[in-house]
Amino acid sequence: MSDSKSKQDWSASQYLKFERERTRPAKDLLSQIHVKSPNRIIDLGCGPGNSTSILRTHFPQSHITGLDSSPDMISKARQTLPDVDFQLGDLQTYRPDPNEPVDVLYSNAVYQWLPHDTRLDTLTRLLSTLSSGGVFAFQVPDNFDEPSHESMRAVAGSGRFPTLKDLQWGRTPFQSPTEIYNAFKPLCEDVNIWHTSYYHVLDDHDAIVEWVKGTGLRPYIDPLDDSERKEFMDMYLAKIREEYKPLYDGKVCLKYPRLFVVAVRA
């Protein structure tokens, strides 16, 4: 679930604090892949192996390879699934081996980290490597305008953090369904696109912060020193408390929109 431009390695343990919630979209994506007995599957941005695990359960006879640029994620995946092939690799430059045809390219929440200007080119290039009937299925968070992410940008732009002044921090919005369809359709017999909003009920506001520390907050806090990071996190938590009102039982609800695409090669 990581890209090769991360300044520091990703933390598998931080990511897996919300394993059930993070794995649910992976299952929803898998449910729309209608391929019988694929021979070879590539899990692009496999992270700690939670998505790879559901692929292996669903397709027990398939050869599955998990690919990720994070050594910590690959290490955790290998510990969890020692009989699966996991490899370190750069998702921006990866191409399947033409001597080992791939039936399914699968990706759970990684391509939002690729540069916006090259993202569609990367996805279309991967799609073009599939044979007729091959499937490229991916989902990405679509939460750029959610309070959790607007608050990150607000704190980063507050003027309190000179280190972030000239930094192109954070993600850019993902391409629209129209852009994706228009790029994919010339290569595909079918392009299925849908959008789902998940509502994760978490224990408290600190839990929201813990959630995004594993992913979205990384580009903001990684460049900071310890004292700056603490101040950033304190300011961010204060804004989260303003934006997310407690529920009846004191818990909080984190809305998390995601965009899904399943494309079948013509």
Side-chain angles (χ1 to χ4, degrees):
M1 54 79 56
S2 52
D3 76 314
S4 62
K5 292 190 175 182
S6 300
K7 185 177 180 180
Q8 301 176 17
D9 195 13
W10 294 81
S11 168
S13 60
Q14 182 71 35
Y15 183 82
L16 288 173
K17 285 183 178 180
F18 302 94
E19 181 176 5
R20 184 184 69 173
E21 291 86 352
R22 294 191 190 280
T23 304
R24 182 179 170 188
K27 293 179 179 178
D28 291 346
L29 178 64
L30 178 58
S31 71
Q32 297 302 312
I33 299 176
H34 305 301
V35 179
K36 294 182 179 180
S37 302
N39 181 52
R40 187 170 182 82
I41 300 171
I42 309 295
D43 185 3
L44 299 161
C46 62
N50 56 315
S51 56
T52 318
S53 179
I54 67 169
L55 284 167
R56 190 180 66 165
T57 299
H58 195 78
F59 297 114
Q61 303 304 318
S62 301
H63 179 89
I64 301 173
T65 298
L67 183 75
D68 204 283
S69 66
S70 163
D72 190 56
M73 290 291 189
I74 289 294
S75 176
K76 178 63 177 177
R78 286 171 175 165
Q79 292 172 22
T80 305
L81 300 169
D83 57 337
V84 174
D85 176 28
F86 288 103
Q87 301 176 8
L88 279 170
D90 184 349
L91 297 183
Q92 293 188 73
T93 58
Y94 169 75
R95 291 184 69 91
D97 185 339
N99 296 316
E100 298 179 341
V102 174
D103 300 298
V104 176
L105 292 170
Y106 175 95
S107 178
N108 181 56
V110 65
Y111 283 108
Q112 71 275 14
W113 292 111
L114 268 59
H116 186 275
D117 291 345
T118 61
R119 193 181 289 150
L120 269 185
D121 288 341
T122 299
L123 295 173
T124 305
R125 173 177 51 79
L126 282 169
L127 179 61
S128 69
T129 66
L130 294 173
S131 300
S132 178
V135 172
F136 187 12
F138 69 88
Q139 72 84 13
V140 291
D142 195 24
N143 54 0
F144 186 80
D145 292 324
E146 289 300 306
S148 58
H149 286 61
E150 288 182 335
S151 296
M152 296 177 196
R153 298 193 293 273
V155 174
S158 66
R160 299 285 299 173
F161 307 98
T163 305
L164 302 180
K165 181 180 179 182
D166 298 319
L167 185 68
Q168 296 298 314
W169 22 259
R171 300 196 331 254
T172 55
F174 207 82
Q175 276 77 4
S176 69
T178 298
E179 291 173 299
I180 296 168
Y181 186 90
N182 287 342
F184 281 17
K185 190 60 175 110
L187 296 171
C188 293
E189 66 178 52
D190 185 62
V191 182
N192 182 14
I193 304 175
W194 73 98
H195 193 270
T196 299
S197 288
Y198 297 84
Y199 292 84
H200 301 300
V201 176
L202 306 179
D203 286 341
D204 50 30
H205 295 98
D206 292 272
I208 294 179
V209 175
E210 285 299 307
W211 177 294
V212 296
K213 272 173 64 178
T215 51
L217 268 175
R218 289 285 310 278
Y220 300 89
I221 62 177
D222 282 357
L224 304 176
D225 61 31
D226 290 344
S227 61
E228 290 176 321
R229 188 175 296 115
K230 182 181 184 306
E231 183 179 4
F232 188 104
M233 296 303 292
D234 288 345
M235 291 177 64
Y236 179 68
L237 177 58
K239 290 194 72 64
I240 290 298
R241 285 174 173 155
E242 291 175 3
E243 295 288 350
Y244 293 90
K245 304 305 179 186
L247 302 173
Y248 169 80
D249 56 0
K251 295 183 178 183
V252 292
C253 183
L254 175 65
K255 179 184 176 184
Y256 208 103
R258 293 180 184 268
L259 178 68
F260 295 76
V261 179
V262 175
V264 181
R265 187 77 161 89

